[in-house]
């Protein structure tokens, strides 16, 4: 017996341990912005709105224009204020996070048909009207009704309220604020947490009426549910636009002086 291997013996290669597969990357956190960012944008909102007012008034002064309608100054100033706020968000997203503006705020296509979105908006308007009747919301003069005393103001407010305000408000409350709250406290409280400041935003417009703020918060909760279910701020904005359009149509039909206005 000998321990020597035969001459034709070929040693087997060493068995290599299988390489460990790399761990999958952690899912990206959404929303990627923080409450510090929220506080920053909230702090910039009033200066942005004030800057819009100053620019519009300055332009009217340079052109020697003296508009007799309050909406002729208010609506362009509000539009500029919105633009400055969203420009600040866009710059923050791009420089700090390298992210786009629209897609980050959930401005995306949605699965439900458009007719379903519009029907939800009209249904929310009807539900809010019933809630307003149950709460006995006061039908007194307020800054909103004061601006609806002539034909031109009604047209401008209707266009702004259907085409511009829903986009801006949904981007701010359901696109920027709500996802942050939902991540922290869950969908129910996140939706309510975004709806309440949405109602408070309209508090002064309706003569400092808490009842109006409550029913508008209910509408905001409806828009928030749409945002949560579809994942699309665009769907919430379309629902909001149909809600406003229905309310304006109801207002037009109830005004006895409309034949004189139109």
């Amino acid at each position: 017996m000998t321990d020597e291997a035969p001459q034709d013996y070929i040693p087997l290669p060493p068995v290599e341990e299988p390489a460990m597969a790399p761990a999958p990357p952690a899912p990206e956190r959404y929303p990627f912005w923080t409450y510090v960012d929220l506080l920053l944008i909230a702090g910039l909102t009033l200066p942005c709105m004030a800057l819009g007012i100053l620019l519009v008034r300055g332009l009217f002064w340079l052109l020697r224009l003296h508009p007799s309608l309050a909406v002729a100054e208010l609506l362009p100033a509000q539009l500029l204020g919105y633009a400055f706020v969203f420009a600040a968000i866009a710059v923050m997203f791009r420089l700090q996070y390298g992210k786009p503006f629209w897609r980050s705020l959930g401005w995306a296509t949605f699965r439900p048909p458009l007719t379903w979105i519009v029907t939800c908006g009209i249904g929310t308007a009807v539900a809010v009207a019933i809630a307003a009747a149950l709460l006995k919301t006061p039908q007194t003069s307020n800054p909103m009704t004061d601006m609806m005393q002539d034909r031109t103001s009604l047209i401008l407010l209707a266009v702004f309220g259907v085409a511009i305000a829903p986009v801006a408000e949904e981007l701010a409350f359901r696109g920027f604020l709500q996802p942050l709250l939902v991540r922290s406290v869950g969908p129910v409280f996140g939706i309510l947490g975004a709806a309440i400041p949405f109602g408070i935003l309209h508090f002064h417009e309706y003569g400092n009426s808490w009842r109006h703020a409550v029913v508008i918060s209910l509408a905001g909760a409806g828009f928030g549910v749409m945002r949560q279910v579809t994942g699309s701020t665009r769907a919430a904005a379309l629902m909001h636009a149909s809600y406003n359009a229905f309310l304006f149509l109801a207002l037009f039909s109830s005004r006895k002086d409309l034949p004189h206005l139109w």
Side-chain angles (χ1 to χ4, degrees):
M1 295 288 297
T2 177
D3 293 335
E4 295 183 0
Q7 295 182 354
D8 58 349
Y9 171 74
I10 301 176
L12 295 175
V15 178
E16 296 183 359
E17 294 291 333
M20 296 294 293
E28 186 176 5
R29 185 182 69 167
Y30 182 83
F32 51 82
W33 56 94
T34 67
Y35 285 99
V36 174
D37 300 324
L38 174 63
L39 291 175
L40 173 63
I41 296 302
L44 289 174
T45 298
L46 284 180
C48 287
M49 293 299 175
L51 180 59
I53 294 173
L54 290 175
L55 287 177
V56 170
R57 289 181 177 177
L59 180 61
F60 284 173
W61 180 80
L62 287 174
L63 299 178
R64 300 182 183 276
L65 297 176
H66 303 283
S68 58
L69 302 177
V71 295
E73 178 181 305
L74 175 64
L75 298 185
Q78 193 165 350
L79 180 60
L80 280 176
Y82 287 153
F84 292 143
V85 170
F86 292 128
I89 295 176
V91 169
M92 180 182 69
F93 281 1
R94 181 59 64 184
L95 296 183
Q96 186 171 349
Y97 299 103
K99 298 291 185 180
F101 173 81
W102 293 98
R103 190 171 62 197
S104 297
L105 294 181
W107 196 262
T109 57
F110 47 87
R111 188 177 299 274
L114 178 60
T115 53
W116 186 79
I117 303 289
V118 172
T119 301
C120 288
I122 295 173
T124 301
V126 173
V128 165
I130 295 172
L134 293 174
L135 284 175
K136 296 181 171 55
T137 53
Q139 301 298 321
T140 57
S141 177
N142 56 61
M144 183 62 70
T145 58
D146 291 344
M147 291 188 295
M148 298 183 180
Q149 300 303 317
D150 61 273
R151 172 188 171 186
T152 304
S153 295
L154 276 170
I155 294 174
L156 292 176
L157 282 170
V159 172
F160 190 88
V162 173
I164 298 174
V167 174
E169 292 175 354
E170 293 310 306
L171 283 173
F173 288 95
R174 258 61 68 177
F176 188 68
L177 175 60
Q178 181 172 305
L180 198 59
L181 296 175
V182 168
R183 190 185 71 193
S184 301
V185 296
V188 174
F189 291 106
I191 290 170
L192 292 176
I196 291 172
F198 174 72
I200 294 174
L201 176 70
H202 297 81
F203 177 71
H204 177 69
E205 294 177 3
Y206 289 93
N208 300 330
S209 168
W210 67 266
R211 292 178 175 86
H212 281 93
V214 168
V215 296
I216 294 173
S217 295
L218 293 176
F223 307 148
V225 171
M226 179 63 70
R227 167 69 167 92
Q228 185 67 25
V229 169
T230 63
S232 172
T233 308
R234 182 187 295 179
L238 288 170
M239 179 181 172
H240 191 163
S242 62
Y243 167 92
N244 284 2
F246 181 82
L247 292 183
F248 273 109
L249 289 174
L251 172 65
F252 295 158
S253 64
S254 66
R255 287 284 295 268
K256 297 179 180 179
D257 57 340
L258 276 183
H260 303 288
L261 295 174
W262 301 89

